[in-house]
Amino acid sequence: NAGVTQTPKFQVLKTGQSMTLQCAQDMNHNSMYWYRQDPGMGLRLIYYSASEGTTDKGEVPNGYNVSRLNKREFSLRLESAAPSQTSVYFCASSEAGWGRRNEQFFGPGTRLTVL
Amino acid sequence: AQSVTQLDSHVSVSEGTPVLLRCNYSSSYSPSLFWYVQHPNKGLQLLLKYTSAATLVKGINGFEAEFKKSETSFHLTKPSAHMSDAAEYFCVVSLDNSGGYQKVTFGIGTKLQVIP
């Protein structure tokens, strides 16, 4: 099992450019998440998908869109990148469903710099 | 509403001495609590979790944590620090909400330095 995989690992963009971060999991999890990590702020939830076919906003969704392509894949898109979106992005997945409390499994992260 | 507070942003210990990383939480309901570790330029790895079973939870690499409801704390400990323990540690509180997903709140992290 590869667990949670993310591509690319590193990316440098110019302000206004667009890009899509890819995430896939092979654990048959229902729920998937996108976080950003900034120094001194822990991880903040951008978007999540509780199950295939659904997506919802998290704590910091502005400037991002997501697509749950199928049960395995959950992508994050920056339509017009801004320097404030320079961050490390983590994808995670979990079994989570009604009344279940399961840990999240994290990918290795994508380090994005917007110039 | 739920929140989590990691009381120290940096902790420095000598190799072979005990480690204590402090975490306090607030939650309207009985939460699940987790500790994750992040080594430099790596993703997050689960150390241990509390999900309303035993209050003393043992994790990987010799770490353990005790859930104390009266103190709303979930401190992480290890009897003897190793150089490989140098990393950033995150305390996380999770609460199922009516939407069927986990509402997860991360602490800001504690960086552990281990001095040879």
Side-chain angles (χ1 to χ4, degrees):
Chain A
N1 281 352
V4 179
T5 57
Q6 293 182 236
T7 56
K9 292 187 177 180
F10 301 92
Q11 184 71 49
V12 179
L13 294 177
K14 295 180 179 179
T15 297
Q17 288 185 318
S18 62
M19 77 161 296
T20 299
L21 282 65
Q22 305 287 353
C23 174
Q25 53 91 8
D26 62 0
M27 295 173 282
N28 202 35
H29 285 166
N30 290 309
S31 302
M32 298 185 73
Y33 313 80
W34 276 105
Y35 294 90
R36 60 177 290 171
Q37 182 180 29
D38 301 292
M41 303 188 75
L43 274 72
R44 293 180 292 168
L45 183 66
I46 304 171
Y47 270 92
Y48 67 93
S49 171
S51 61
E52 186 178 356
T54 68
T55 60
D56 284 285
K57 296 178 180 179
E59 184 183 354
V60 288
N62 291 344
Y64 305 95
N65 285 301
V66 290
S67 295
R68 183 74 182 266
L69 305 170
N70 48 54
K71 191 171 186 179
R72 290 186 64 248
E73 298 172 288
F74 188 39
S75 63
L76 178 72
R77 182 161 179 83
L78 286 70
E79 291 290 351
S80 179
S84 60
Q85 294 178 306
T86 293
S87 187
V88 182
Y89 291 85
F90 288 99
C91 178
S93 70
S94 69
E95 290 185 25
W98 287 92
R100 300 180 68 181
R101 299 171 171 181
N102 296 288
E103 67 267 30
Q104 296 185 4
F105 293 81
F106 286 81
T110 295
R111 283 156 181 78
L112 174 67
T113 301
V114 183
L115 302 175
Chain B
Q2 63 186 39
S3 67
V4 58
T5 303
Q6 291 184 244
L7 296 163
D8 306 292
S9 58
H10 291 85
V11 170
S12 183
V13 302
S14 296
E15 189 176 18
T17 65
V19 176
L20 170 63
L21 305 183
R22 297 182 294 165
C23 174
N24 286 97
Y25 71 93
S26 67
S27 174
S28 301
Y29 305 96
S30 181
S32 296
L33 294 159
F34 306 84
W35 276 99
Y36 283 86
V37 61
Q38 183 182 31
H39 288 93
N41 299 313
K42 300 291 185 183
L44 280 75
Q45 179 186 17
L46 180 70
L47 272 180
L48 50 81
K49 64 177 180 179
Y50 166 77
T51 57
S52 75
T55 57
L56 182 62
V57 182
K58 294 187 183 296
I60 62 172
N61 301 333
F63 284 95
E64 62 181 38
E66 186 171 8
F67 173 70
K68 292 186 176 180
K69 187 175 182 179
S70 61
E71 299 177 9
T72 61
S73 69
F74 190 57
H75 301 333
L76 182 69
T77 60
K78 183 173 180 178
S80 177
H82 191 273
M83 294 299 297
S84 60
D85 295 328
E88 190 162 19
Y89 293 79
F90 293 93
C91 183
V92 182
V93 59
S94 172
L95 181 67
D96 288 333
N97 76 357
S98 60
Y101 76 98
Q102 295 171 293
K103 178 173 172 55
V104 175
T105 303
F106 284 76
I108 63 171
T110 298
K111 289 187 177 177
L112 175 64
Q113 179 185 22
V114 182
I115 303 168

